[in-house]
Amino acid sequence: MKNEDYQVSQEEIAQFKGRGYNEDMLPKTLEKRNMGVKNYFTLWMGSVHNIPNYTAVGGFLFLGLSPINVMFALVISALVVALFMTMNGRAGSKYGIPFALHLRATYGDIGAKLPGFLRGCVAAIAWFGLQNYTGSLALLVLIGKVWPGFLALGGDASFFGIGIPGLIAFTLFWALNVLIGIGGGDMLNKFTAILSPLIYIVFGGMAIWALRVAGGIGPILNFDTTGATQAMNPVFAYFMIINSVLAVWAAPGASVSDFTQNAKSTRDQTVGQMASLLVAYVIFAFSSVAILIGGSIHYGIQEWNVLNIVDRWDSFPAIIVAMTVFLLTTISTNATGNIIPAAYQLCALFPKKMTYKKGVILAGLISFVIMPWKLMENADSIFIFLNSIGAVLGPVAGVMIAHYFFIRKQTIDLNALYIDPKADNSKNIYRGINRQAYIATIIALIVSLSGQFIPAMQAISNVSWLVGFGCAFAIYLGLKKLGSAGKTEEAFD
């Protein structure tokens, strides 16, 4: 099949460099597009099989759906996420551009700064620190299993609220995450290629263990969750699960061009991501439900924290292996969802001074300095803050997809997109702020958050990402249709 993606020339690259863009912001040439179907197939595996996702499934089992329906809902969610990721990644794979430039193509060069900063800097760096701290807690338990005396190091001494063993575990885990981030896409490809088979082996083995101790698949599928909601409409429960899964992918989905820019072709990223997410979630849907319910049956208590189930095992080697894989999936999630987008966004904000590797180091240092263990002391406020930023990304994604597919018809003018600061840009279609995009985003954000403030609209809070995405998509297309009547295409401002 012929590759119809845009092939940027060396002459264009040289021209864009002359305009002040660094190497990391330039469109990827054919020889630098090194991610094929296999790379995308392994890319997101670790982001599916991680501790927070297993915990979320425990919550889904309380919605009143049967275990088999929870599994089906997760698989449907995977299909929706795969469509979202591949569609929003088409601009990156067709033109070889990163998220920062994809965002500019939608919101304008000035308009892209705020959503880009919120996604790539504030949310990504804060989440990078928090996930490092969460992962370090698991590492602390793991080290304690192997070396019990480690947990007593330093006695009662502490560093700004964290004990010496905790600080050492955090620093080690933080450093490993930063190193993976510095390695970029090439390092991540190698890392996920090793991790993916481990995930199949470990989580497949855990599911087999669960089936054995539960007495087969029947008791698991017939399990009645104590305290589950019985009055909820099953269709709405499905939508709640789909929305929750989409919300997990809101950030990487918005900035997926940071990964699809390296695709050998749009076909490769489409086939690879679709297969990756569908296969990963089919396995995850069965293994997560089986492990959580099987463990609960076996230990005689409803236990929805998978780490607590693992910690109860009699086999010390099995505990070590399982905990290690959970740590590796946290690293994979942190790299794809946080540190890589943060580094690219810093490059976009400071194109003349910042490179990708410098961005990783700076983002990593900031994530350490903010002392995420202190943020976790007031978990409610920090998660409300970060969830509010995440809520913006549903409307942002809705506008991005509407703009690229229905307004620009999958066409981007690279010469105009890489704005020449010395030229007359009064007619440049990417200059300024796309006010209609901002209006649609803000209105959709208000609607999606309305359930948190208006009791009568509380149900919206349970499907806020879907509502925000859908509203932004429809409002933006409506505004564009009204605003384009009798007008020629011109700059945003």
Side-chain angles (χ1 to χ4, degrees):
M1 183 180 291
K2 183 180 178 181
N3 185 352
E4 297 182 353
D5 297 331
Y6 186 84
Q7 304 300 327
V8 65
S9 67
Q10 292 297 335
E11 290 76 15
E12 288 175 297
I13 294 295
Q15 184 182 23
F16 300 154
K17 277 186 178 180
R19 297 176 182 179
Y21 293 91
N22 64 42
E23 191 73 28
D24 297 306
M25 288 294 100
L26 295 173
K28 294 294 185 290
T29 54
L30 185 61
E31 61 271 16
K32 292 184 178 181
R33 294 186 177 217
N34 55 7
M35 291 185 68
V37 172
K38 291 182 180 178
N39 299 116
Y40 286 104
F41 182 77
T42 60
L43 179 62
W44 302 117
M45 195 68 68
S47 298
V48 174
H49 292 270
N50 56 54
I51 298 168
N53 281 354
Y54 272 81
T55 303
V57 171
F60 297 157
L61 291 169
F62 280 89
L63 295 178
L65 295 176
S66 65
I68 190 67
N69 272 295
V70 170
M71 294 181 193
F72 280 136
L74 286 168
V75 174
I76 294 171
S77 301
L79 178 61
V80 177
V81 169
L83 289 172
F84 167 49
M85 298 286 282
T86 55
M87 288 182 68
N88 207 35
R90 288 182 74 88
S93 60
K94 181 176 181 179
Y95 291 96
I97 57 174
F99 165 63
L101 273 299
H102 184 192
L103 200 61
R104 173 185 290 185
T106 304
Y107 285 88
D109 66 323
I110 297 175
K113 294 184 183 299
L114 179 58
F117 177 75
L118 291 174
R119 160 63 186 115
C121 296
V122 179
I125 292 174
W127 275 118
F128 182 69
L130 288 170
Q131 288 212 24
N132 277 332
Y133 177 63
T134 303
S136 73
L137 295 177
L139 178 60
L140 191 62
V141 173
L142 185 61
I143 296 174
K145 289 282 185 182
V146 178
W147 177 19
F150 175 79
L151 301 179
L153 289 179
D156 295 330
S158 66
F159 176 80
F160 290 98
I162 186 172
I164 300 303
L167 179 62
I168 294 173
F170 175 79
T171 303
L172 288 173
F173 195 67
W174 169 86
L176 184 57
N177 278 265
V178 170
L179 286 174
I180 295 293
I182 289 175
D186 291 338
M187 176 67 77
L188 190 60
N189 286 341
K190 296 175 182 177
F191 181 80
T192 54
I194 296 171
L195 177 60
S196 291
L198 289 177
I199 287 174
Y200 286 120
I201 294 169
V202 171
F203 291 106
M206 290 175 68
I208 292 172
W209 167 84
L211 290 173
R212 182 176 62 82
V213 298
I217 188 67
I220 290 175
L221 296 182
N222 294 321
F223 187 79
D224 184 16
T225 304
T226 303
T229 303
Q230 300 298 329
M232 180 176 292
N233 185 306
V235 175
F236 189 70
Y238 261 74
F239 275 107
M240 284 181 64
I241 293 176
I242 293 170
N243 182 83
S244 296
V245 175
L246 276 166
V248 169
W249 292 92
S255 58
V256 69
S257 289
D258 281 340
F259 297 96
T260 58
Q261 65 173 329
N262 299 308
K264 292 179 180 179
S265 69
T266 291
R267 178 187 177 277
D268 279 22
Q269 70 93 352
T270 302
V271 173
Q273 289 200 92
M274 289 289 291
S276 174
L277 289 162
L278 287 173
V279 171
Y281 265 101
V282 167
I283 296 171
F284 172 75
F286 178 78
S287 64
S288 61
V289 172
I291 292 167
L292 292 173
I293 294 179
S296 297
I297 292 173
H298 179 58
Y299 294 115
I301 182 174
Q302 289 190 171
E303 179 57 76
W304 309 121
N305 186 331
V306 69
L307 292 182
N308 290 341
I309 291 175
V310 171
D311 195 42
R312 287 173 176 262
W313 287 353
D314 296 326
S315 173
F316 178 75
I319 293 174
I320 298 300
V321 171
M323 294 289 283
T324 299
V325 171
F326 272 121
L327 286 170
L328 293 177
T329 61
T330 301
I331 294 173
S332 175
T333 303
N334 227 1
T336 54
N338 296 317
I339 195 66
I340 290 177
Y344 276 119
Q345 195 56 43
L346 287 169
C347 288
L349 292 172
F350 309 102
K352 295 183 179 180
K353 297 182 179 180
M354 191 67 62
T355 63
Y356 170 77
K357 290 184 178 180
K358 288 181 180 179
V360 170
I361 294 171
L362 179 58
L365 289 174
I366 294 173
S367 75
F368 200 111
V369 171
I370 63 176
M371 295 184 291
W373 57 87
K374 298 293 289 183
L375 296 177
M376 289 291 283
E377 290 179 355
N378 191 9
D380 289 341
S381 62
I382 188 60
F383 281 110
I384 289 173
F385 169 68
L386 289 173
N387 285 337
S388 296
I389 292 176
V392 175
L393 299 178
V396 167
V399 170
M400 290 176 74
I401 289 179
H403 183 83
Y404 181 69
F405 284 93
F406 296 94
I407 303 302
R408 298 300 182 205
K409 309 296 183 183
Q410 301 189 60
T411 300
I412 293 175
D413 183 348
L414 287 185
N415 185 52
L417 185 65
Y418 285 85
I419 297 171
D420 185 351
K422 299 178 181 178
D424 178 11
N425 293 296
S426 59
K427 299 295 183 180
N428 190 317
I429 60 172
Y430 304 115
R431 181 67 176 169
I433 300 175
N434 185 345
R435 292 185 176 88
Q436 292 152 318
Y438 260 76
I439 291 171
T441 301
I442 292 170
I443 293 175
L445 175 63
I446 292 172
V447 173
S448 65
L449 292 177
S450 62
Q452 297 185 20
F453 308 104
I454 304 173
M457 303 180 71
Q458 189 174 0
I460 290 178
S461 297
N462 296 319
V463 289
S464 58
W465 193 95
L466 289 169
V467 170
F469 179 93
C471 285
F473 184 93
I475 293 170
Y476 181 66
L477 289 183
L479 290 173
K480 275 295 184 182
K481 184 174 182 180
L482 291 172
S484 63
K487 293 185 178 181
T488 56
E489 187 176 61
E490 55 185 18
F492 290 137
D493 59 353

